[in-house]
Amino acid sequence: MAKIETPRPIRGTQDMIGDSADRFAHVVETFERVRKLYGFKRIEVPVFEATAVFSRSLGETTDVVSKEMYSFEDRGGDSLTLRPEFTAGIARAYITEGWQQYAPLKVATHGPLFRYERPQKGRYRQFHQIDAEIIGAAEPLADAELLIFADQLLKELGISEGVTLTLNTLGDYQSREEWRSALVAYFEGHRDQLSDDSKDRLHRNPLRILDSKDPRDQAIVAEAPDIDAYLTEEAQAFFEKVTDGLKAAGVAWTRNARLVRGLDYYRHTAFEFVTDRLGAQGTVLGGGRYDGLIETLGGPSTPAVGWAAGIERLGMLLDNVQSGTLDVVIAVEDDRYLSDAMKLAALLRQAGLSADLVATGSPRKRYDKATKIDAQVLLSLRDKDGAVAVREHSARNSEKLDGVKAILAGAGYAE
Ligand code: ATP
Ligand code: MG
């Protein structure tokens, strides 16, 4: 017979099992728990959208839109794009689904995103993010709340060590425009020394030069004017209220006056939680205020702020993830005990204990197999005076064992 060739996985995608899957699940579970503490509603949005949702809101000059989008024509001839980020799709839903009625809206979601990047460690073509947004809130309180949420999440994940919250303000429209002009004038003066990419950005998106990773640009960027001299009084007061909120909640931060988010619609607060533990990919969580976005998509003028973090990158920072440990494993060494074992397992699970059976393969080998399973309590079944009794072989956790014994006794099983 001709050998059937298995299709290869797509470059930059991931199949996860074991440690990587456990890390992933731990990040998501922690996020789900913490977002509820802050009253964020869970939402779901589509994995694909009309291409315009992203090209308009991210700006044609950003790397994501110009180089990284997975766009294709569907059978009806429409241009669709696999989402490269969450915010634009959520903003689209806010407009088209009438979510204005819930404003201010605190929402959270997580799932896969797609970018056509050069695959390497920690950088994939399908990766995943957790995401939190507050839409319809103009007050600096919203920015502070999101930052405090992010800080608690990182602490609960146990990765806040070596992670720093870096914060900047991009001011309001007026501040940002004036700063932008000052930057253009400054960079014009150093045009010859800029990288080609940055020459190109000079008039289209000069703020992004501050973001450049090119060493030639970085020397010039170091001397570029800060926004501080251009902040309006309102913008300055806004920034102070955000930092007051952080102080009240005990969240540490440092100013990074060079921090700009790559996307065009950001206003006021911009932030990144950064670490030196991941080499070149140092941002673990980033976001900011995007008051201009919803209008850009044809909706009403709506203030909003949000953040996102890569799940894989957070997972890489976790210490060893303990997972998969069962409460109870039951070795079924004789098939006559199978239905009792199933009944027992059902009782334990209904009582909230995790349980598994070893009941396949050679009966003589099942006990050995069961000892190799990571479980707190190992049980087997046997005959005792004509009835089925339960034997406890090992228990790493005596409290758990007491609970198990109570359930067994309640069901009429002798030891
Ligand atoms: P970078 O500078 O690393 O390319 P970015 O500015 O493109 O990051 P954002 O668009 O702000 O990243 O996305 C936020 C987070 O999503 C990143 O900090 C990272 O954790 C994660 N992320 C982005 N792109 C990828 C990718 N290709 N693979 C894995 N995670 C990613
Ligand atoms: Mg990128």
Side-chain angles (χ1 to χ4, degrees), residues 210-330:
L210 298 176
D211 226 5
S212 171
K213 287 170 184 120
D214 193 305
R216 276 176 298 171
D217 295 334
Q218 281 172 349
I220 298 162
V221 162
E223 302 297 321
D226 286 347
I227 192 168
D228 296 39
Y230 306 95
L231 284 180
T232 62
E233 244 170 69
E234 293 79 27
Q236 201 169 339
F238 190 101
F239 190 54
E240 271 163 26
K241 286 195 181 119
V242 175
T243 58
D244 284 351
L246 296 178
K247 193 168 175 209
V251 174
W253 60 278
T254 59
R255 176 80 191 275
N256 175 3
R258 295 284 171 274
L259 176 63
V260 290
R261 302 294 297 160
L263 309 177
D264 293 340
Y265 47 74
Y266 283 99
R267 296 272 182 277
H268 290 294
T269 321
F271 55 90
E272 285 181 350
F273 286 79
V274 297
T275 175
D276 48 17
R277 284 167 58 200
L278 289 179
Q281 284 134 34
T283 304
V284 293
L285 187 152
R289 178 166 277 280
Y290 54 91
D291 289 353
L293 170 65
I294 288 176
E295 228 174 337
T296 304
L297 283 174
S301 165
T302 308
V305 51
W307 56 250
I311 295 176
E312 291 87 350
R313 237 175 257 183
L314 289 171
M316 285 161 67
L317 289 168
L318 296 175
D319 283 337
N320 290 333
V321 178
Q322 290 285 327
S323 85
T325 301
L326 285 168
D327 293 321
V328 182
V329 62
I330 305 171

Side-chain angles (χ1 to χ4, degrees), residues 383-404:
D383 263 330
K384 190 183 175 194
D385 310 327
V388 177
V390 178
R391 174 181 285 167
E392 162 234 326
H393 292 275
S394 60
R396 297 206 304 256
N397 180 329
S398 60
E399 237 171 82
K400 200 127 269 173
L401 182 64
D402 290 343
V404 171

Side-chain angles (χ1 to χ4, degrees), residues 68 115 117 123:
E68 297 174 359
R115 294 185 194 176
E117 304 222 50
R123 194 171 282 287

Side-chain angles (χ1 to χ4, degrees), residues 13-242:
T13 63
Q14 310 171 77
D15 300 301
M16 297 182 225
I17 191 173
D19 187 54
S20 60
D22 291 344
R23 287 168 183 273
F24 191 100
H26 184 68
V27 171
V28 171
E29 283 161 17
T30 308
F31 174 68
E32 277 294 294
R33 187 166 52 73
V34 177
R35 64 104 181 146
K36 288 177 197 158
L37 301 177
Y38 285 80
F40 280 66
K41 278 197 220 326
R42 177 68 202 244
I43 56 163
E44 302 297 337
V45 288
V47 166
F48 59 100
E49 297 274 358
T51 296
V53 168
F54 304 109
S55 57
R56 270 194 223 149
S57 57
L58 303 192
E60 301 285 351
T61 61
T62 56
D63 284 354
V64 170
V65 170
S66 63
K67 294 186 249 174
E68 297 174 359
M69 289 211 304
Y70 270 97
S71 301
F72 59 94
E73 249 182 41
D74 74 359
R75 290 169 194 274
D78 296 320
S79 177
L80 306 183
T81 294
L82 299 180
R83 63 183 180 202
E85 58 125 48
F86 276 113
T87 309
I90 294 172
R92 191 275 308 146
Y94 183 84
I95 302 166
T96 62
E97 302 305 313
W99 290 355
Q100 288 108 305
Q101 63 180 304
Y102 306 116
L105 185 63
K106 303 205 298 187
V107 294
T109 193
H110 64 81
L113 303 176
F114 304 84
R115 294 185 194 176
Y116 194 79
E117 304 222 50
R118 197 166 67 78
Q120 54 191 289
K121 190 171 150 52
R123 194 171 282 287
Y124 311 98
R125 289 181 171 176
Q126 177 178 334
F127 65 102
H128 302 77
Q129 282 184 349
I130 51 176
D131 182 279
E133 318 274 348
I134 304 183
I135 308 181
E139 307 75 28
L141 182 70
D143 311 51
E145 190 182 13
L146 272 166
L147 283 163
I148 298 162
F149 170 11
D151 183 74
Q152 181 168 352
L153 174 69
L154 298 178
K155 285 189 174 127
E156 299 222 2
L157 286 170
I159 60 182
S160 56
E161 195 89 354
V163 173
T164 310
L165 165 57
T166 60
L167 194 59
N168 197 17
T169 176
L170 307 175
D172 47 19
Y173 180 78
Q174 190 192 331
S175 322
R176 190 178 156 133
E177 285 305 294
E178 282 176 19
W179 183 38
R180 185 190 154 104
S181 307
L183 283 173
V184 171
Y186 170 80
F187 287 128
E188 277 292 357
H190 298 81
R191 196 185 159 81
D192 296 345
Q193 293 135 275
L194 289 173
S195 68
D196 289 344
D197 273 347
S198 286
K199 281 189 188 118
D200 193 44
R201 288 174 188 134
L202 193 48
H203 289 280
R204 299 207 290 173
N205 194 347
L207 262 61
R208 289 220 45 231
I209 300 176
L210 298 176
D211 226 5
S212 171
K213 287 170 184 120
D214 193 305
R216 276 176 298 171
D217 295 334
Q218 281 172 349
I220 298 162
V221 162
E223 302 297 321
D226 286 347
I227 192 168
D228 296 39
Y230 306 95
L231 284 180
T232 62
E233 244 170 69
E234 293 79 27
Q236 201 169 339
F238 190 101
F239 190 54
E240 271 163 26
K241 286 195 181 119
V242 175

